Amino acid sequence: MSRSAITLSQVCATTLVLGACMSTPPTQTAHITQERLLGEWSLVRVGSQRDSDVMTLDFRDDGILLGSVRCNSMSGPYEVRSARIVFPDGVIITAAGCGKRTPSSQSAADTAERVLFRSPVTTFALSYDLQKLFVTGNSMLQFQRIR
C-alpha cells in the first residue's frame, strides 16, 4: 500500500469518526409551535463540542424570551412563524464581566449568540419527543429541555 493510500484511508476513517460525533437534527421532527417551545432549555452542544452552563433559554407563554449567557442575562420578545423562531425587536444581553472564563466556554457563547440572534439563515428543528431543540445557522446548536 502506498503512503498516499494510507493517508487517504486514515483521513476517511477520521472523517467517519468525527462525523458520528457531530450533532445533527433528528430525521423525525415535530412542527414548532409556541406551545411546544414553552419552557426552559439549556445549550448542550455547539457543533461537535459538548458544552454546559453556557446558555439557557426560557420561552414564556407571554411571548418573552428570558435567559442567560454565562453570567449575563438576556430578554426580548419572540414569535414562532412558519417553523422559525423570530426575535422581531432583537434580544438585549447584558455585558457584565464574567470573571475567569475558559476560551472554549467564551467561544461557545459567542457562537450561540451569533447563530441565534445574528445569523441571516437560521433553521430550527424540534425533536419528535419535544426534548431537544436544534438550531442551525453557520454552526449547529443543540438545546436540551430542562422543564
Side-chain angles (χ1 to χ4, degrees), residues 108-128:
D110 292 344
T111 299
E113 284 183 43
R114 186 176 60 253
V115 171
L116 275 169
F117 307 124
R118 296 190 296 267
S119 182
V121 180
T122 301
T123 60
F124 299 87
L126 192 56
S127 65
Y128 196 69

Side-chain angles (χ1 to χ4, degrees), residues 1-23:
M1 210 179 224
S2 73
R3 184 172 176 85
S4 62
I6 292 171
T7 304
L8 180 58
S9 71
Q10 288 171 337
V11 168
C12 290
T14 303
T15 302
L16 287 172
V17 169
L18 289 176
C21 296
M22 297 272 312
S23 177

